[in-house]
Amino acid sequence: MNDRILRVMEFDKVIEQLKKQAETSLGKERAAKLKPAIDMIEVEARQNETDEAMGILRLNKSVPLGGIFDIRASIKRSIIGGLLNIQESLDIASTIYGGRRVKDFLLGFDFDIPLLNSLAERIVPLKNVEQFIKNCIDDHGQVMDSATPTLRGIRATIRTYENRIRTKLDDYIRTKSNMLSDAIITIRNIGTSFLLNTSIEDLLVVLFMTNLLQVKHYLWNRGQL
């Protein structure tokens, strides 16, 4: 079918309306690429697929397509040995879960939809991959200690040294409280900081940094940095 006929039919407007109904970016992309079929067998197959989908809607049901992302670029990079960031990994886990929900919905639907069922059969659950990602990254997007034994060991060592530094600082505050403006230690993401009297500030900063350097030196010698 040539472009002139498509323009007369205002086919582009039909496609725009279809894209608005798509729930995923992948669906919008597929809709944008649709062209009218001219082969009768293909036409009938498409109409039958549409009829099955309409049957679902007529029963006030909807295919659960939430949480499905376009992960093709991430998959390609992973195949060639590239590293994925946290969000990319979570998107993959979410898409695997979303695909499994779609498959379970279509195969468990109490209505004869053979064409949609054949498409659902092509979805590979990959639940082990989904679970592996979820075991490594928590709901807040933080990599958990359980991700790898090496990471667990590094974080345990860091916590041990943080506790030792905190204990030393607590001891110093108790013995030198009369020299401090406020006997407070504040724990922050970047380390430990505290409010000090100016006259001894430099001394405590040196003490703190020395302990941090000892931790880094220890981890470096173990090949963990």
Side-chain angles (χ1 to χ4, degrees):
M1 188 172 293
N2 61 49
D3 292 339
R4 180 179 176 281
I5 295 176
L6 295 180
R7 286 196 302 272
V8 172
M9 294 172 55
E10 295 187 326
F11 187 72
D12 58 328
K13 294 182 179 181
V14 175
I15 292 299
E16 286 302 316
Q17 290 296 318
L18 179 61
K19 287 168 59 178
K20 291 178 181 179
Q21 301 302 317
E23 292 193 28
T24 67
S25 60
L26 290 169
K28 294 181 187 297
E29 181 182 316
R30 291 293 297 271
K33 294 179 179 179
L34 277 178
K35 298 294 183 183
I38 58 176
D39 179 76
M40 184 56 64
I41 295 178
E42 183 179 358
V43 170
E44 291 179 352
R46 289 187 181 185
Q47 288 180 336
N48 289 334
E49 285 181 354
T50 302
D51 186 58
E52 288 183 6
M54 284 300 301
I56 295 175
L57 295 179
R58 282 193 290 268
L59 294 176
N60 292 322
K61 303 289 185 179
S62 60
V63 181
L65 296 172
I68 296 177
F69 300 92
D70 184 356
I71 59 174
R72 290 173 294 183
S74 299
I75 297 300
K76 288 180 180 179
R77 191 159 68 257
S78 178
I79 290 174
I80 63 176
L83 298 178
L84 305 181
N85 61 37
I86 290 175
Q87 190 56 55
E88 289 170 328
S89 300
L90 290 175
D91 286 349
I92 289 175
S94 177
T95 300
I96 292 174
Y97 173 68
R100 190 169 70 253
R101 289 181 64 206
V102 171
K103 182 172 186 175
D104 292 342
F105 175 85
L106 293 177
L107 295 182
F109 193 67
D110 52 355
F111 190 81
D112 188 23
I113 48 173
L115 295 177
L116 295 182
N117 281 342
S118 66
L119 294 176
E121 290 286 1
R122 295 162 57 184
I123 299 175
V124 181
L126 296 177
K127 191 172 183 179
N128 58 326
V129 177
E130 174 197 347
Q131 195 60 49
F132 178 80
I133 294 173
K134 291 182 176 179
N135 287 340
C136 294
I137 305 173
D138 65 21
D139 294 336
H140 304 290
Q142 299 296 319
V143 178
M144 296 187 287
D145 292 357
S146 57
T148 68
T150 301
L151 179 62
R152 183 187 296 110
I154 291 174
R155 288 183 173 175
T157 301
I158 291 174
R159 283 192 290 269
T160 297
Y161 274 84
E162 284 179 345
N163 290 334
R164 291 180 184 178
I165 292 172
R166 178 62 185 264
T167 300
K168 289 183 179 180
L169 291 174
D170 285 338
D171 291 341
Y172 196 94
I173 286 176
R174 281 194 297 270
T175 58
K176 304 294 183 179
S177 59
N178 61 318
M179 302 175 64
L180 300 174
S181 59
D182 292 288
I184 297 175
I185 297 176
T186 302
I187 305 298
R188 297 178 180 172
N189 290 335
I190 58 174
T192 305
S193 62
F194 34 87
L195 301 175
L196 305 169
N197 183 285
T198 305
S199 61
I200 63 167
E201 182 175 354
D202 291 342
L203 173 62
L204 289 184
V205 169
V206 170
L207 171 64
F208 179 58
M209 293 305 297
T210 300
N211 279 281
L212 287 182
L213 289 173
Q214 288 176 350
V215 174
K216 292 182 178 180
H217 181 68
Y218 172 80
L219 294 176
W220 179 269
N221 287 338
R222 293 187 60 184
Q224 296 177 343
L225 277 182

